[in-house]
Amino acid sequence: AKTSGRNTIRFYDASMQLAIDTRAELEDEMRLALKNQQFCLYYQIQVDNLRHSIGAEVLLRWQHPEHGLISPAQFIPLAEETGLIIPIGKCVLQIACTQLAAWQNDALTRDLTLAVNVSAKQFHEVDFVNQMQQVLLESGANPSLLKLELTESTMLENIEETIAKMREIEMLGVSFSMDDFGTGYSSLQYLKRLPLSQIKIDQSFIRDIVSDANDASIVQTIIAMTETLGLNVIAEGVENEEQCQFLELRGCHAFQGYLFSKPVPLDEFMIFLNNRS
Ligand code: C2E
Ligand code: CA
Ligand code: CA
Ligand code: CA
């Protein structure tokens, strides 16, 4: 979405028959979407160095009855601004945890972790810990297979509160991954204090990793740092074999990206898993 002027958002997406012209209209449409269950989740596989499936990240999509599939980049910023991200995020967690619980009955999916993106507004809500507890209880999902992805800026927004909250959620058995790592300002000092299990190297560093010496050395530094801190590391946006091998040679053993699969709807994801096994 492009913001033109103060109050209008217009989508420049050829696949859309109609443009949603105003922020107010988009906001109304998002409320309707929640009510009418137009939000759905796509699944993108994560693999280890043997290319075995280790988990998936759920990525939000809006299946609009007239405008078709709308990507999160087009509505999440406004959802965050208006606070609608809170009920939307709750809905994402409910669907994801219900799915995770269902996976526990199938040998093919039993060991897969599921990563869920959590926005700053959602995480910093006063009762977020309760919400987590409730959704785990209601779904019956195994918390040790659930991973919450938070960005650096979310975590640094109120570091003391963040650490306390993360610890409480960690006590429920849930783990944390720092999303888009390298794009923010995390100091080692903070990293050491945050109860993280994983760091996710931002795809902007992966894109030209093979040809750009700066990106390559940044990634190498990140990997070395995760080793020092005893954290897992995963690279996102891996699109070709060269990038994957480059990363593997430097000690990164978990990958996500188009090389393995794009994010796909659940039924496709299950077919994909079946074909891989
Ligand atoms: P993200 O969490 O950094 O997710 C990774 C994005 O990279 C996804 O875009 C994914 O489709 C895309 N991607 C995956 N592999 C590749 C690759 O190999 N090459 C390239 N070029 N791209 C790749 P998507 O699905 O459009 O999501 C965009 C962003 O929207 C996400 O970035 C995340 O910040 C946000 N988002 C998505 N789902 C949710 C959600 O449920 N809640 C919240 N709060 N934010 C979400
Ligand atoms: Ca993510
Ligand atoms: Ca990311
Ligand atoms: Ca990103």
Side-chain angles (χ1 to χ4, degrees):
K2 283 252 157 59
T3 311
S4 51
R6 258 193 97 231
N7 289 314
T8 55
I9 282 191
R10 180 179 282 277
F11 295 110
Y12 294 98
D13 188 328
S15 69
M16 293 190 182
Q17 293 148 14
L18 277 164
I20 299 173
D21 279 324
T22 64
R23 292 159 61 90
E25 197 184 332
L26 180 57
E27 193 179 336
D28 286 347
E29 290 274 347
M30 282 195 288
R31 284 183 208 284
L32 257 167
L34 261 172
K35 196 170 142 245
N36 297 338
Q37 305 185 329
Q38 291 165 12
F39 291 114
C40 66
L41 299 182
Y42 275 37
Y43 297 75
Q44 187 178 32
I45 196 83
Q46 299 176 333
V47 304
D48 65 14
N49 51 328
L50 299 172
R51 311 295 163 94
H52 291 153
S53 314
I54 53 175
E57 177 179 7
V58 293
L59 293 153
L60 186 59
R61 297 292 181 267
W62 179 359
Q63 188 65 61
H64 193 284
E66 288 142 45
H67 307 312
L69 204 63
I70 306 178
S71 79
Q74 297 189 285
F75 62 90
I76 284 189
L78 188 65
E80 271 170 359
E81 229 178 275
T82 56
L84 271 171
I85 194 64
I86 291 165
I88 294 173
K90 215 183 264 186
C91 168
V92 169
L93 272 169
Q94 276 162 355
I95 302 173
C97 287
T98 304
Q99 198 50 56
L100 189 56
W103 280 359
Q104 282 156 214
N105 303 317
D106 186 339
L108 194 63
T109 48
R110 197 159 38 212
D111 301 320
L112 298 182
T113 59
L114 197 57
V116 179
N117 294 287
V118 175
S119 86
K121 260 234 172 95
Q122 190 186 359
F123 179 80
H124 291 292
E125 264 232 303
V126 278
D127 72 334
F128 184 68
V129 179
N130 282 329
Q131 287 175 34
M132 280 308 309
Q133 203 160 15
Q134 204 178 331
V135 74
L136 286 168
L137 210 67
E138 280 170 3
S139 63
N142 179 352
S144 68
L145 295 172
L146 182 66
K147 200 166 271 172
L148 300 185
E149 294 196 359
L150 304 179
T151 63
E152 299 178 67
S153 59
T154 299
M155 294 189 201
L156 300 189
E157 208 172 292
N158 182 340
I159 185 86
E160 300 306 330
E161 185 215 292
T162 297
I163 291 170
K165 221 170 208 181
M166 285 174 75
R167 287 219 180 103
E168 280 186 76
I169 293 168
E170 203 184 32
M171 301 260 266
L172 302 174
V174 177
S175 61
F176 290 94
S177 179
M178 191 185 267
D179 205 355
D180 301 343
F181 188 80
T183 58
Y185 305 95
S186 281
S187 74
L188 271 172
Q189 203 54 38
Y190 286 142
L191 270 185
K192 214 176 71 182
R193 295 184 57 206
L194 291 164
L196 292 165
S197 75
Q198 183 185 66
I199 273 173
K200 202 167 196 182
I201 308 172
D202 190 66
Q203 57 187 61
S204 61
F205 300 109
I206 308 301
R207 198 169 303 128
D208 302 320
I209 196 176
V210 180
S211 58
D212 186 319
N214 284 326
D215 287 347
S217 69
I218 289 169
V219 168
Q220 241 173 306
T221 306
I222 294 174
I223 294 169
M225 187 197 67
T226 59
E227 278 165 5
T228 306
L229 293 171
L231 299 171
N232 288 319
V233 62
I234 184 167
E236 69 177 348
V238 179
E239 295 184 351
N240 58 54
E241 283 294 344
E242 292 70 34
Q243 293 166 334
C244 193
Q245 273 164 32
F246 194 94
L247 284 157
E248 209 188 320
L249 271 170
R250 282 156 187 82
C252 177
H253 305 301
F255 316 96
Q256 182 181 342
Y258 296 166
L259 175 60
F260 311 102
S261 170
K262 288 189 170 175
V264 291
L266 182 66
D267 50 351
E268 257 180 74
F269 184 74
M270 296 309 292
I271 293 168
F272 173 74
L273 277 182
N274 260 302
N275 290 341
R276 279 177 67 91
S277 71

